Amino acid sequence: MNEASAALESSQILQVARSSNKVSDSFEEGGGLAAGNFDMQDSRKVTMEMEISLVHEEIGGNSSSFPSSNSSNKIERQNFFRAGFVGKPPGGKHRKQYLPCPVEFAEAVDYFMEPDLVRNFTQFSLGYVNSEERPPKMNSSRSGFGGHQTMEQRENSFYASNQTLHCGFVKGPPGSPSTGFDLDDNDKAYMSKCIVVVSSCIFGSSDFLRRPASKNMSEFAKENVCFVMFVDDQTLEKISSEGNKPDGRGYVGLWKVVVVKNLPYSDMRRTGKVPKFLSHRLFPSSRYSIWVDSKLRLVVDPMHIIEHFLWRNKSEFAISKHYDRQCVWEEVLQNKRLNKYSHREIDRQFYFYRSDGLTKFDTLGPNTPLPSYVPEGSFIIRAHTPMSNLFSCLWFNEVERFTSRDQLSFAYTYLKLRRSNPDKPFYLNMFEDCERRTLAKLFRHRVLQPPPTTGP
């Protein structure tokens, strides 16, 4: 199956499903296409077709060099994959080394610059859906935190114009229980005053607490930047037992530890997308924010980072390229190879994106709008402009609706936003991954021990 035929087939599937209201029902009742009930190709067949396509490109398009996907010689195809041409990532002792590279920072950044002084960014007004009734056919097991966005609302939300859209923190009708991510009033009062924010999170004791390198931070940053670490009760207990108990004001080093009650999702990865993408909602007065994954330790002054990647480049959003992959096709395969998520859920998301215009990354294409379609999403730098905030909401809505693997939805979200607003630019700076490695030191995630077994 080539790309054109696959896209045509997926488009036909979706058209048939829409005509029988299956797609809209699956989105509005069960939390997205991932909960749909129409037939799709077997996940293993889809994966093999994609792998054959990728190998075909890598060896120069010579179809005689590998078995055809339509070949009846199954043994030949099986041996081809077992030979190591495609499949699991290379193992062994010799792994690729990814190193930091020099970044020329300003000597001192002891001032603050409003985003509209950096560039005349696109201006419009965004409002957010704060509450809504639960649709009568809604799956009761689905979290209500992201609301119940219809397909029509989703489509309209991509237009950069005055609008009210879903962007998390949606409450139910009066008298209904909280939808999650509950914060203490004192913490909310503190967060409401932050102008520049560095934030991170640890939920489910999934990581160690890594303090920003205080010795590298200027006095201006220490006095004017909010460093906020979101944790749940389980994580608070764990890090406290490891010598990182917050002091009387709630601080551990530079981190202000904020405890989140009533997590909105059972999937800790999806819960982590709330502070990752919605800093403009959590810190309503903020003008800039930096997201640092919990596996990273920040070692560069945040004001230097904002000056270099936003102000100097006249950008409103900055994120690094992935260190190894550029194409969503490759990212899909890698997620499935490593069993990062249900293969069936990944396939449904991927087929939907392809039917809505997502194409392979073209390295040599003169009109390719980004240097890569796959980000390394552990470090994000944002000016809280209307377009940046809209993109963050849209990206969050995709991980809320589909899989929580945000690298799968980044390019689709950016390209659809760009396509929907040809006369309203979004200034996104996609920088080298080696620069990200200069900004923060990388550690491994905590290895969680499995629960003890019982019985003989």
Side-chain angles (χ1 to χ4, degrees):
M1 178 187 298
N2 58 31
E3 180 184 348
S5 61
L8 177 60
E9 177 181 326
S10 60
S11 177
Q12 291 171 341
I13 290 172
L14 288 171
Q15 288 174 3
V16 172
R18 286 193 183 102
S19 66
S20 60
N21 292 324
K22 289 182 178 180
V23 168
S24 59
D25 287 347
S26 66
F27 272 114
E28 296 167 21
E29 293 176 22
L33 190 61
N37 56 6
F38 55 88
D39 294 333
M40 300 293 289
Q41 295 190 42
D42 180 81
S43 176
R44 289 171 296 180
K45 180 181 177 182
V46 174
T47 302
M48 181 168 285
E49 296 286 356
M50 291 170 60
E51 289 182 331
I52 288 175
S53 176
L54 285 173
V55 174
H56 182 270
E57 294 172 358
E58 290 172 1
I59 62 179
N62 183 4
S63 59
S64 63
S65 301
F66 62 95
S68 167
S69 61
N70 296 322
S71 173
S72 60
N73 190 346
K74 295 183 179 180
I75 296 178
E76 182 184 1
R77 290 175 66 195
Q78 291 172 359
N79 289 339
F80 173 77
F81 284 99
R82 288 171 182 166
F85 289 95
V86 197
K88 295 181 179 179
K93 298 180 180 179
H94 302 289
R95 302 181 65 182
K96 290 183 180 179
Q97 295 292 316
Y98 300 98
L99 302 174
C101 56
V103 179
E104 295 184 4
F105 295 112
E107 290 187 7
V109 184
D110 54 359
Y111 59 93
F112 175 79
M113 186 178 293
E114 289 285 348
D116 58 1
L117 296 178
V118 178
R119 185 195 286 268
N120 185 23
F121 295 117
T122 303
Q123 297 297 316
F124 52 94
S125 177
L126 287 180
Y128 306 107
V129 175
N130 291 318
S131 64
E132 63 183 12
E133 297 288 337
R134 191 181 191 88
K137 295 183 179 181
M138 184 65 204
N139 187 336
S140 60
S141 64
R142 183 191 172 192
S143 169
F145 180 82
H148 312 113
Q149 186 187 51
T150 66
M151 287 297 292
E152 181 180 5
Q153 289 172 328
R154 176 185 182 273
E155 189 69 23
N156 292 335
S157 67
F158 278 86
Y159 293 100
S161 58
N162 297 345
Q163 62 165 305
T164 299
L165 77 160
H166 290 79
C167 191
F169 302 97
V170 179
K171 297 179 175 61
S176 60
S178 167
T179 55
F181 218 87
D182 301 332
L183 303 176
D184 180 82
D185 288 341
N186 291 330
D187 288 331
K188 287 194 287 187
Y190 167 81
M191 293 161 57
S192 68
K193 300 176 183 178
C194 296
I195 303 299
V196 181
V197 180
V198 173
S199 65
S200 185
C201 74
I202 307 173
F203 297 127
S205 301
S206 59
D207 236 321
F208 299 96
L209 183 70
R210 299 183 174 95
R211 309 184 190 191
S214 180
K215 65 179 181 180
N216 297 341
M217 308 298 161
S218 65
E219 289 303 315
F220 181 86
K222 291 177 182 179
E223 294 174 3
N224 293 279
V225 177
C226 296
F227 296 83
V228 177
M229 172 64 73
F230 295 97
V231 301
D232 57 351
D233 286 319
Q234 177 186 344
T235 301
L236 178 63
E237 181 179 356
K238 184 67 174 179
I239 63 174
S240 296
S241 69
E242 295 171 336
N244 289 310
K245 184 176 181 179
D247 62 20
R249 299 186 304 131
Y251 284 86
V252 177
L254 291 178
W255 285 128
K256 168 70 171 175
V257 178
V258 173
V259 179
V260 180
K261 304 286 187 178
N262 186 24
L263 301 184
Y265 307 102
S266 57
D267 178 359
M268 295 297 103
R269 182 179 294 275
R270 182 172 276 115
T271 297
K273 306 308 178 189
V274 177
K276 179 174 182 175
F277 293 144
L278 305 184
S279 57
H280 61 291
R281 303 290 322 271
L282 288 164
F283 303 92
S285 299
S286 58
R287 297 293 180 268
Y288 297 95
S289 67
I290 298 174
W291 168 260
V292 183
D293 192 88
S294 59
K295 67 183 178 183
L296 302 176
R297 183 190 185 210
L298 184 66
V299 296
V300 174
D301 188 302
M303 297 307 300
H304 284 84
I305 296 172
I306 291 171
E307 187 279 332
H308 182 86
F309 292 99
L310 295 184
W311 299 347
R312 197 182 304 182
N313 287 276
K314 298 186 181 301
S315 300
E316 51 193 321
F317 193 104
I319 190 170
S320 72
K321 299 186 291 185
H322 194 274
Y323 52 88
D324 193 44
R325 294 183 290 281
Q326 293 179 301
C327 184
V328 181
W329 270 245
E330 297 172 307
E331 186 64 25
V332 167
L333 285 175
Q334 187 71 351
N335 274 265
K336 295 169 75 172
R337 286 167 177 163
L338 300 180
N339 289 317
K340 294 288 188 178
Y341 213 89
S342 161
H343 293 199
R344 183 175 175 83
E345 308 277 337
I346 292 173
D347 286 340
R348 284 171 168 161
Q349 179 178 8
F350 185 53
Y351 263 77
F352 182 84
Y353 285 175
R354 291 180 69 179
S355 74
D356 198 26
L358 180 65
T359 59
K360 290 184 179 180
F361 177 76
D362 184 0
T363 307
L364 302 178
N367 298 318
T368 302
L370 290 173
S372 171
Y373 281 180
V374 181
E376 216 306 322
S378 61
F379 204 99
I380 303 175
I381 312 150
R382 274 173 292 193
H384 290 181
T385 62
M387 191 67 88
S388 175
N389 292 345
L390 175 59
F391 177 72
S392 297
C393 289
L394 296 174
W395 197 3
F396 173 79
N397 289 341
E398 292 304 294
V399 299
E400 216 271 340
R401 182 182 293 276
F402 292 108
T403 73
S404 58
R405 306 299 302 182
D406 55 48
Q407 289 165 317
L408 298 178
S409 50
F410 168 79
Y412 168 83
T413 305
Y414 173 81
L415 294 170
K416 186 173 178 66
L417 176 63
R418 187 172 184 266
R419 186 172 69 244
S420 301
N421 303 278
D423 300 323
K424 298 178 180 180
F426 174 35
Y427 297 98
L428 188 149
N429 172 19
M430 207 166 190
F431 55 92
E432 297 297 328
D433 180 70
C434 63
E435 296 178 289
R436 176 187 65 87
R437 294 172 185 271
T438 298
L439 307 178
K441 184 177 180 181
L442 174 65
F443 295 85
R444 292 184 181 274
H445 288 298
R446 185 196 296 272
V447 178
L448 297 179
Q449 296 298 322
T453 58
T454 59

